[in-house]
C-alpha cells in the first residue's frame, strides 16, 4: 500500500466517523433544543394575582389604614439574671411613620412603672411626624423607676386615613463584654380619634 492510498483510507475513515457520530449528535442537540423551545412557548406566562400581592401586603407593614390609635408598648428598664439580680437596660421608644404621603401627630406618650403608675409624660405638646419620619424617646440605663414591667401608652392621630406607624421599644446594654439587646412591639388597645384624657 502506497502512502497516498493510506492517506486516502484515513480520510475516508475520518469522514465515516464524522457522518456516523458527530452529525447524529448535532442533529439530536438541535432537535432537543427545538422541542424545549416549543414546550416553553406553549406554557402561558402567569403574573402574580392581585390577591397574592394583597396577601403579601397584609403579612407585612402596613396592615390597614386607620385614623388614630392608642398603643401599649412593653418596656424593660431591667431584666433578671443569674440569681435573680436586676440587670439594668437603656430603653428607647421608637415611633416611625410608615405613610409615604401623609404626616401623623403623636398626641401623647406616657411612661408607666411596673405597678401601672404613670411616671411622666414624654410630650409637652403634640409632635408632628412627616411622611416616613421617625422619633424616639430614651429612658436612661440608670433610671430604675420603671422596673421590669414598665410600659408606654402612645396615642397618635392623622387628618386622613394613613398606614399605621411602627411603634416598638429597643432594650440595650453594652457595659459588659457581651452585649444584650432585644425589641418589643406595640399592642393596639383601641382605634379611632381619642384624647389622652379618655379612660384607659
Amino acid at each position: 500500500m502506497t502512502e497516498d492510498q493510506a492517506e486516502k483510507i484515513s480520510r475516508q475513515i475520518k469522514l465515516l466517523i464524522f457522518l456516523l457520530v458527530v452529525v447524529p449528535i448535532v442533529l439530536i442537540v438541535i432537535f432537543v433544543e427545538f422541542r424545549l423551545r416549543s414546550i416553553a412557548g406553549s406554557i402561558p406566562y402567569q403574573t402574580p394575582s392581585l390577591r397574592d400581592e394583597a396577601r403579601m401586603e397584609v403579612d407585612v407593614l402596613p396592615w390597614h389604614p386607620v385614623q388614630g390609635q392608642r398603643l401599649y408598648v412593653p418596656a424593660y428598664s431591667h431584666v433578671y439574671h443569674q440569681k435573680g439580680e436586676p440587670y439594668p437596660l437603656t430603653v428607647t421608644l421608637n415611633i416611625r411613620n410608615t405613610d409615604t404621603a401623609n404626616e401623623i401627630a403623636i398626641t401623647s406618650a406616657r411612661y408607666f412603672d411596673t405597678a401601672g403608675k404613670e411616671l411622666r409624660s414624654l410630650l409637652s405638646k403634640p409632635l408632628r411626624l412627616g411622611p416616613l419620619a421617625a422619633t424616639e424617646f430614651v429612658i436612661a440605663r440608670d433610671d430604675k423607676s420603671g422596673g421590669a414591667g414598665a410600659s408606654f401608652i402612645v396615642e397618635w392621630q392623622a387628618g386622613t386615613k394613613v398606614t399605621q406607624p411602627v411603634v416598638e421599644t429597643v432594650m440595650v446594654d453594652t457595659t459588659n463584654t457581651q452585649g444584650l439587646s432585644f425589641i418589643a412591639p406595640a399592642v393596639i388597645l383601641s382605634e379611632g380619634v381619642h384624647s389622652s384624657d379618655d379612660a384607659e
Side-chain angles (χ1 to χ4, degrees):
M1 182 181 296
T2 64
E3 185 176 342
D4 290 340
Q5 289 176 335
E7 185 177 348
K8 183 177 180 181
I9 293 174
S10 176
R11 287 199 301 268
Q12 290 175 345
I13 292 174
K14 291 179 181 178
L15 179 61
L16 186 62
I17 293 174
F18 177 80
L19 292 175
L20 295 178
V21 178
V22 177
V23 171
I25 291 176
V26 172
L27 292 176
I28 290 173
V29 170
I30 293 174
F31 175 77
V32 170
E33 183 178 356
F34 175 78
R35 287 293 300 165
L36 290 176
R37 287 184 178 180
S38 63
I39 292 173
S42 65
I43 299 175
Y45 175 72
Q46 296 180 345
T47 58
S49 69
L50 293 177
R51 183 175 180 180
D52 289 339
E53 292 176 0
R55 283 178 176 175
M56 291 173 62
E57 291 178 358
V58 169
D59 290 339
V60 297
L61 286 174
W63 295 283
H64 61 287
V66 291
Q67 196 168 347
Q69 290 178 327
R70 174 181 285 126
L71 306 172
Y72 172 90
V73 198
Y76 302 82
S77 66
H78 70 256
V79 292
Y80 298 100
H81 71 129
Q82 295 180 357
K83 297 181 180 180
E85 300 172 0
Y87 189 98
L89 301 168
T90 300
V91 179
T92 302
L93 170 65
N94 194 274
I95 305 172
R96 299 169 179 262
N97 181 7
T98 65
D99 201 281
T100 59
N102 301 287
E103 68 176 24
I104 64 174
I106 310 302
T107 57
S108 177
R110 294 173 289 158
Y111 186 48
F112 294 79
D113 67 8
T114 302
K117 177 184 177 182
E118 182 175 344
L119 298 176
R120 61 183 176 274
S121 174
L122 305 177
L123 285 178
S124 57
K125 60 181 179 180
L127 174 66
R128 295 168 60 185
L129 283 184
L132 300 182
T135 189
E136 64 278 331
F137 304 92
V138 177
I139 305 299
R141 184 178 184 272
D142 57 2
D143 184 346
K144 303 175 182 179
S145 59
S151 62
F152 298 95
I153 297 294
V154 175
E155 297 171 3
W156 67 271
Q157 296 178 11
T160 185
K161 287 190 175 182
V162 296
T163 56
Q164 70 181 54
V166 173
V167 181
E168 59 190 3
T169 49
V170 182
M171 276 61 64
V172 177
D173 182 69
T174 56
T175 56
N176 297 324
T177 55
Q178 184 175 1
L180 172 66
S181 65
F182 60 97
I183 64 173
V187 176
I188 301 173
L189 298 180
S190 60
E191 294 188 344
V193 179
H194 38 59
S195 68
S196 59
D197 296 330
D198 295 341
E200 297 295 343

